[in-house]
Amino acid sequence: MNVTQHTHPSADRAAQLHAALEPLMDEVLSDLTDLVAIPSIAWPAFDPAHVRASAEAVAGLASRAGFEDVEILTAATPSGETGAPAVVARRDGPEGAPTVVLYAHHDVQPTGDPELWDTPPFEATERGDRLFGRGAADDKAGILVHLTALRLLGDDLGVGVVLFVEGEEEAGSPSFGNFLRDHREKLAGDVIVVADSGNWAVGTPALTTSLRGMASLEFTVTTLDHAVHSGMYGGAVPDAALAMTRLLASLHDDDGAVAVDGLRGDETADVDYAEEVLRRDSGVLDGVDLIGRGSLASRIWTQPSITVIGLDLPDVDVSSNTLQHSVRAKLSIRVSPGQTPAEALAAVRAHLLRSAPFGARVEFGAEEGGSPWRADLSDPVVQTAMGALTAGFGTDAVQIGLGGSIPFIADLLEEFPSASILVTGVEDPDARAHSANESLHVPDFRSAIVAEALLLEALAGE
């Protein structure tokens, strides 16, 4: 596909599409409200019937948007179980036109403590410019961006389109690799638009051009063959809790930067966070220092991080005067672009074995990983997307990294190595995806729809 001759979308064309979108917005928000009402949590502890209902609702919306070939498909997970249902719809373009794959996901995160929500999580609620509800931003809005952009273009669409709406992204996409292989012919395309990221700020669009990878590791530290009385043996016998906390502390230096030999990163970042913005967006308390070194953007986009996300110790309310014989922990490791999860895990394992205090035994348990990604900035499709975002929002788009991971990007590139990957989204720093009071900024939602319509037109060479 040759996109080098494509011109950037004009402000006049963007204004035309904004005007055409306005009378559709009530219906679009109603459709989004209906999707938010379905508690489509794909985790094993939740009712899979809701995920099926969500897939059926998305399939209905796809049919209304003009797709004639709409299917709800599944694939097996590596353990042989049936994965969550995904929606695949295809619409052929003119002879010789490129095919664009539009990805989003219809499953959502659990809500957590309902007392932390100001509005019912599965009742979309408008307050000012924001629509609150679980999935309102991540990622049911992404589905409506795709479908509404197609509605705006109607019969004038100059590209082939595949709509691919996954149903288990928040659960780790366990069947994703098999799904791509099983349904490869249905999913093949020249450009893949992944609508599952965010923008730099309200009103400022962004194209995500790098993603940290993810690895997790469980390990156990043991010092005794059984628990013993802390009064009788404390002060001479090293317990596993002491050994574990000393070992965990060794993962970072005094600045809070990762101190594991072999974990690599760099300080590349096209834009940077103001410290007050990062503090506000993350909720860092007054008087609490930030950690790490280098630019703030590089610390969360292109440098590694290690977080202790689980620690098996007795709860304070049920604790006793006992030296712990064995303690288990789980680490979340964010892997910088340019390093593989396997390399990162090997470096962390070696560090833990080397740094265990008092001769404590370290044994390793379950682990997993997802690869980082960096866009090919020489790909003309990237500049085409930047132009579409700039015109759609009326503000210069920026290129950003994402500290979180989208591990299935690696699966997409493995199956479709020649495809251009564009990572877009509708979230902003206050969207609070995965947290209580998740919300969508509706004006940016409008702009994202127009920007995607402009992108599709540009890819068609119009």
Side-chain angles (χ1 to χ4, degrees):
M1 182 184 60
N2 181 6
V3 300
T4 58
Q5 299 179 357
H6 290 170
T7 58
H8 289 313
S10 69
D12 288 344
R13 179 55 177 155
Q16 292 172 359
L17 289 171
H18 273 288
L21 173 62
E22 197 55 39
L24 300 178
M25 279 304 299
D26 285 347
E27 182 181 354
V28 172
L29 290 173
S30 176
D31 289 338
L32 180 55
T33 296
D34 290 343
L35 288 182
V36 169
I38 305 172
S40 50
I41 303 167
W43 294 21
F46 294 84
D47 187 351
H50 295 308
V51 183
R52 168 61 64 171
S54 182
E56 292 170 351
V58 172
L61 291 174
S63 296
R64 280 174 43 199
F67 287 98
E68 295 182 358
D69 182 8
V70 181
E71 299 177 276
I72 297 176
L73 303 171
T74 61
T77 68
S79 62
E81 300 173 345
T82 300
V87 177
V88 177
R90 193 171 184 98
R91 177 176 169 182
D92 293 332
E95 184 71 26
T99 296
V100 182
V101 180
L102 303 176
Y103 169 93
H105 63 86
H106 66 88
D107 66 309
V108 299
Q109 282 278 322
T111 60
D113 184 355
E115 296 298 320
L116 298 177
W117 286 79
D118 297 331
T119 62
F122 294 112
E123 294 180 18
T125 305
E126 284 195 72
R127 289 185 171 183
D129 285 337
R130 306 195 76 93
L131 184 75
F132 290 83
R134 175 59 87 225
D138 182 19
D139 185 32
K140 291 177 176 179
I143 301 169
L144 269 301
V145 167
H146 293 328
L147 293 175
T148 310
L150 295 173
R151 288 183 64 187
L152 281 180
L153 299 179
D155 293 336
D156 295 330
L157 184 64
V159 295
V161 174
V162 176
L163 180 71
F164 175 25
V165 183
E166 184 193 355
E168 58 185 22
E169 192 274 342
E170 302 291 10
S173 302
S175 71
F176 194 88
N178 285 338
F179 194 97
L180 294 184
R181 289 183 286 273
D182 291 351
H183 306 295
R184 189 183 192 285
E185 291 186 3
K186 299 176 185 291
L187 298 170
D190 302 288
V191 178
I192 303 174
V193 181
V194 177
D196 194 21
S197 186
N199 293 308
W200 177 239
V202 167
T204 303
L207 185 69
T208 299
T209 56
S210 71
L211 300 166
R212 288 196 295 191
M214 181 276 294
S216 67
L217 174 66
E218 296 180 14
F219 68 99
T220 301
V221 171
T222 304
T223 57
L224 308 169
D225 63 11
H226 65 280
V228 296
H229 195 291
S230 63
M232 296 176 63
Y233 297 102
V237 173
D239 78 320
L242 173 60
M244 174 63 83
T245 53
R246 290 276 295 269
L247 184 54
L248 293 176
S250 75
L251 295 169
H252 299 84
D253 63 21
D254 290 342
D255 291 331
V258 171
V260 175
D261 290 341
L263 283 186
R264 303 192 302 272
D266 62 57
E267 296 189 18
T268 302
D270 292 331
V271 292
D272 195 18
Y273 273 104
E275 182 172 338
E276 63 272 18
V277 173
L278 182 59
R279 284 179 167 276
R280 182 194 66 221
D281 292 346
S282 62
V284 176
L285 298 177
D286 290 342
V288 175
D289 294 333
L290 299 180
I291 62 173
R293 290 183 293 274
S295 70
L296 293 178
S298 74
R299 295 184 214 181
I300 57 177
W301 294 349
T302 59
Q303 295 191 48
S305 70
I306 301 177
T307 305
V308 181
I309 61 171
L311 189 61
D312 288 345
L313 281 170
D315 292 339
V316 171
D317 290 341
V318 296
S319 60
S320 63
N321 290 318
T322 306
L323 298 180
Q324 303 299 314
H325 76 290
S326 184
V327 175
R328 184 172 65 132
K330 184 174 184 179
L331 303 178
S332 174
I333 306 156
R334 296 296 168 167
V335 184
S336 300
Q339 186 160 49
T340 68
E343 291 171 340
L345 285 166
V348 173
R349 286 195 301 267
H351 176 93
L352 294 172
L353 289 171
R354 182 173 60 248
S355 304
F358 316 121
R361 297 179 183 177
V362 178
E363 296 178 299
F364 299 107
E367 60 184 49
E368 62 177 333
S371 296
W373 168 78
R374 195 188 298 275
D376 178 5
L377 299 183
S378 67
D379 184 347
V381 171
V382 171
Q383 295 308 313
T384 299
M386 292 289 288
L389 287 166
T390 295
F393 280 75
T395 302
D396 287 343
V398 298
Q399 296 176 12
I400 64 172
L402 190 66
S405 307
I406 308 180
F408 63 76
I409 295 287
D411 293 319
L412 288 170
L413 286 172
E414 181 177 350
E415 203 63 38
F416 307 111
S418 63
S420 298
I421 306 288
L422 299 173
V423 180
T424 64
V426 295
E427 297 172 30
D428 64 86
D430 201 35
R432 303 190 186 188
H434 294 202
S435 300
N437 301 309
E438 176 183 347
S439 68
L440 170 72
H441 187 255
V442 176
D444 280 2
F445 180 46
R446 292 189 180 95
S447 297
I449 293 167
V450 170
E452 185 159 300
L454 292 169
L455 172 63
L456 294 173
E457 286 187 332
L459 293 174
E462 297 180 5

